[in-house]
Amino acid sequence: MINNKKIGLALGSGGARGLAHIGVIKVLEANNIPIDFIAGASIGALIGSAYATHQDIKLIEKTFLEIEWKKILHLSSDLSIFSGGLVGGDRVKYFMESELRCAKEFSKLKIPFAAVATDMSTGEDVFLTTGNLIEAVRASISLPGFFKPVEIAGRHLIDGGAVDPVPVDLAKKIGAKFVIAVNLEERGCSYLHAEKGSKNLYNNVYSAARIMQKRLATYSSAAADILLSPEVGRYAWTQVSEAKKIIAAGEDIARQNIARIIELLNR
């Protein structure tokens, strides 16, 4: 029996590693843990917005398990290199509406949801809670250099993971009293990849970026009541092909912590 605490999910950024969010939600559902609020950054906003629309985690899982590489290439072919990014995003919007069946407006959601993005002019976090849901999520997933920024209310917005990769404070701001956070940057293989050699330029830049992101995610998630850190660090942010294993990692970490979650909720 769960008491009437308002439960929020803070779903973190991390590219394909964010498919672990699906596994977490599956286990929460299986144990009758209600989800009253969802806040998401980047991939967390994508999956969170879909679930907030229809609460059908099986549909979301099926979509990512069955997605074909030609569809991924199709999504990535919306080139707009002279508009601040490689991908314009129109086909991503189509994917959200047709495949994930996301609502077009925040007002149509079954669960209150918020996305975080970053104002590229000021570096401030921007909380998106009303209006066009698809545009808000597009802003939250706009990885710099890959997706072009999204303009909302005169502000040019990029990936929310740049400032708030695990939006615990946002979940509380929209009403959650007990926050379950999913940090995708905490566990897995070494960020330094020293075995590959320190003279590899790409490896060094990538490792430095991951170290900074890990530190920021640790700070961002500190106020969570429960912090789930699935073992997904070995996967690159593009490895959608490993969806089954990544989803399973989310299920594993949620099962390991479900007794603790229920205990805290019943205090």
Side-chain angles (χ1 to χ4, degrees):
M1 179 69 180
I2 302 300
N3 67 22
N4 61 357
K5 289 180 182 176
K6 294 297 184 181
I7 302 169
L9 287 184
L11 303 180
S13 62
R17 297 189 296 273
L19 299 181
H21 297 320
I22 296 171
V24 169
I25 294 172
K26 286 175 65 180
V27 173
L28 294 177
E29 276 195 350
N31 287 273
N32 299 311
I33 306 296
I35 300 170
D36 300 301
F37 301 92
I38 302 175
S42 198
I43 184 67
L46 180 63
I47 291 173
S49 63
Y51 187 72
T53 296
H54 46 62
Q55 294 179 284
D56 189 347
I57 197 63
K58 291 181 179 178
L59 168 64
I60 299 170
E61 180 180 34
K62 183 174 184 289
T63 298
F64 282 102
L65 287 177
E66 296 182 355
I67 195 167
E68 300 173 12
W69 278 107
K70 64 182 181 181
K71 285 189 176 181
I72 296 293
L73 294 173
H74 179 69
L75 290 174
S76 302
S77 65
D78 184 12
L79 296 179
S80 54
I81 194 168
F82 299 110
S83 299
L86 292 176
V87 181
D90 288 342
R91 288 171 181 163
V92 174
K93 296 181 204 175
Y94 175 80
F95 173 73
M96 290 178 63
E97 292 181 13
S98 65
E99 302 286 341
L100 291 177
R101 302 181 190 174
C102 293
K104 293 183 180 180
E105 300 290 330
F106 278 89
S107 60
K108 303 297 183 181
L109 297 176
K110 293 183 177 180
I111 300 174
F113 166 80
V116 61
T118 304
D119 186 323
M120 64 181 301
S121 296
T122 66
E124 297 174 336
D125 50 8
V126 178
F127 297 157
L128 302 167
T129 59
T130 61
N132 189 310
L133 177 72
I134 304 295
E135 285 296 295
V137 174
R138 262 279 294 111
S140 187
I141 67 171
S142 290
L143 186 68
F146 188 75
F147 289 103
K148 72 177 182 180
V150 175
E151 183 176 353
I152 297 177
R155 307 177 84 169
H156 290 86
L157 306 179
I158 58 173
D159 199 303
V163 289
D164 195 4
V166 191
V168 173
D169 289 342
L170 177 54
K172 292 182 176 182
K173 186 179 180 65
I174 61 176
K177 301 303 180 184
F178 183 95
V179 178
I180 301 168
V182 185
N183 180 358
L184 305 171
E185 299 291 346
E186 188 62 29
R187 299 171 69 190
C189 61
S190 169
Y191 288 92
L192 294 174
H193 301 298
E195 70 280 2
K196 294 183 179 180
S198 61
K199 294 183 179 180
N200 183 306
L201 177 61
Y202 171 79
N203 179 63
N204 290 347
V205 172
Y206 177 78
S207 295
R210 289 291 302 277
I211 290 168
M212 289 188 290
Q213 193 68 9
K214 179 181 178 180
R215 289 291 186 93
L216 181 58
T218 298
Y219 174 81
S220 183
S221 61
D225 296 281
I226 285 284
L227 180 60
L228 305 180
S229 300
E231 293 195 41
V232 292
R234 67 178 64 87
Y235 301 108
W237 72 275
T238 55
Q239 282 187 278
V240 181
S241 59
E242 298 292 346
K244 188 173 183 178
K245 293 179 182 177
I246 297 171
I247 292 170
E251 293 182 66
D252 288 344
I253 195 66
R255 288 196 193 98
Q256 291 169 27
N257 287 273
I258 197 66
R260 179 63 173 162
I261 293 171
I262 293 172
E263 176 191 354
L264 290 176
L265 286 172
N266 283 314
R267 280 185 179 177

